[in-house]
Amino acid sequence: MSSLMAKELDLIEEFRDLSLVCEVTPRSVKLGMLKLINLFLEEIKECQKRDHKLMEKLMPGSEGK
């Protein structure tokens, strides 16, 4: 395998978790957003939604707790 191909594979590996949103027009390609996704952080967010004590603290009217 050539070093250039190895570098390309490394880049593909590094960028596989990127989500690139773009719009293709007849004259151009417009990039709308570059979003980094960390699966660990997504898992934490989902677990926080199921944490009843945390949700109680985040509910309106629970100030001071």
Side-chain angles (χ1 to χ4, degrees):
M1 179 179 350
S2 72
S3 66
L4 179 58
M5 182 180 272
K7 288 180 184 179
E8 289 175 356
L9 290 174
D10 287 343
L11 284 174
I12 290 169
E13 184 73 20
E14 287 180 34
F15 290 112
R16 73 174 176 209
D17 290 335
L18 294 178
S19 175
L20 182 61
V21 179
C22 64
E23 176 185 347
V24 178
T25 68
R27 295 184 181 180
S28 65
V29 174
K30 298 178 181 179
L31 298 178
M33 172 181 34
L34 182 62
K35 182 179 179 181
L36 298 174
I37 298 172
N38 183 317
L39 296 177
F40 180 67
L41 291 177
E42 293 299 319
E43 187 174 335
I44 289 173
K45 288 179 188 178
E46 289 303 313
C47 289
Q48 286 175 337
K49 291 177 185 176
R50 296 188 303 265
D51 185 331
H52 298 292
K53 289 182 181 179
L54 177 62
M55 289 296 112
E56 287 174 5
K57 290 181 181 182
L58 294 176
M59 295 292 280
S62 64
E63 293 91 17
K65 288 188 177 181

